Amino acid sequence: MPAVRERLPLWLQLRCGLEPRTLAALTVVLVAAAVFAAFHFWSARPRSVRAPDPVGAVAHTPVADSATDPVRTPEPAPGVPPGGPPTGGSGERIVVDVGGKVRRPGIYPLPSGARVADALRAAGGVRTGVDLTGLNRARVLVDGEQVVVGAPPGGPGPVAPGGAVPGAAATGGTGAGPIGLNTATVEQLDTLPGVGPVLAQHIVDYRAQHGGFRSVDELREVNGIGDRRFADLQPLVRP
């Protein structure tokens, strides 16, 4: 302790009075200061720092392909079938009446832009030995058209909506001359005396099943037409 006291400055020796208790306290303070200085020096020493990963390595990290990852596969839009919307035509359809000498006369829906040949195929084809001369099988059909196969020579062929023959004016109405049995519509036949909508439909059905009327006398074979009614209709109609 005397050695430590001798090393203290004179003013400190006079201040503290060189009492043992004061000297011990001073010693403790000096030791604490030395420990603090050593700790501060140790914590402030240089340290090695790990370098960050190269930017290029992050940029080329493999990512799941959206085309093969089931989680990332885009869902199809509502109402659209898998694989995208259908391609092709506009989807419009027409309805035609195929009658005459075909295997299955009737009414058939066809795609828009269909031709007479398509209508004949839909009806099972024409019967054996039927002459198709004068029937343009490449003509484009329209909605509501009637195609009659095997009409008599000089008679009308396919009938367009309203009973009109393509390329020619249809004859109809009681004030425009005799009504053509092979071209008239149900509405036109309904204007004849004694013919209502039901009988007019019978006439059209007979025409479709037998390939048209070859003479006015065939009108007798229509269900619902007797001798008296035939006598009234004979001067008003033609094949």
Side-chain angles (χ1 to χ4, degrees):
M1 295 298 294
V4 175
R5 182 176 54 189
E6 292 177 358
R7 293 178 180 274
L8 294 176
L10 181 60
W11 65 270
L12 186 57
Q13 295 179 16
L14 296 176
R15 181 86 176 173
C16 297
L18 299 177
E19 295 180 1
R21 183 178 298 178
T22 303
L23 185 59
L26 181 60
T27 301
V28 172
V29 171
L30 292 176
V31 172
V35 173
F36 178 77
F39 177 78
H40 181 72
F41 175 78
W42 177 259
S43 61
R45 76 186 189 281
R47 298 181 182 180
S48 60
V49 180
R50 181 177 177 272
D53 295 334
V55 177
V58 178
H60 291 83
T61 302
V63 180
D65 187 3
S66 61
T68 58
D69 187 358
V71 178
R72 296 175 178 267
T73 302
E75 296 292 338
V80 179
T87 57
S90 60
E92 296 180 357
R93 300 184 71 82
I94 61 174
V95 179
V96 296
D97 181 7
V98 185
K101 297 183 179 181
V102 292
R103 299 184 186 276
R104 296 191 302 270
I107 298 176
Y108 295 93
L110 297 173
S112 178
R115 301 178 184 271
V116 173
D118 299 323
L120 299 181
R121 280 193 294 269
V126 299
R127 298 177 185 175
T128 304
V130 176
D131 185 11
L132 297 179
T133 302
L135 180 61
N136 183 5
R137 287 169 286 178
R139 182 175 54 79
V140 178
L141 297 169
V142 296
D143 185 46
E145 182 174 343
Q146 184 185 44
V147 179
V148 180
V149 180
V159 180
V165 179
T171 302
T174 56
I179 293 180
L181 295 175
N182 289 320
T183 60
T185 62
V186 173
E187 291 76 10
Q188 291 174 334
L189 294 172
D190 191 18
T191 62
L192 294 172
V195 178
V198 176
L199 183 55
Q201 186 62 51
H202 287 171
I203 296 174
V204 172
D205 293 341
Y206 179 91
R207 178 178 66 194
Q209 294 173 4
H210 296 81
F213 290 88
R214 292 168 177 77
S215 66
V216 177
D217 292 337
E218 289 187 29
L219 198 60
R220 296 175 181 268
E221 302 178 15
V222 177
N223 184 23
I225 297 181
D227 294 338
R228 182 174 179 179
R229 184 165 296 173
F230 174 76
D232 295 337
L233 296 177
Q234 186 177 14
L236 303 177
V237 296
R238 61 178 178 79

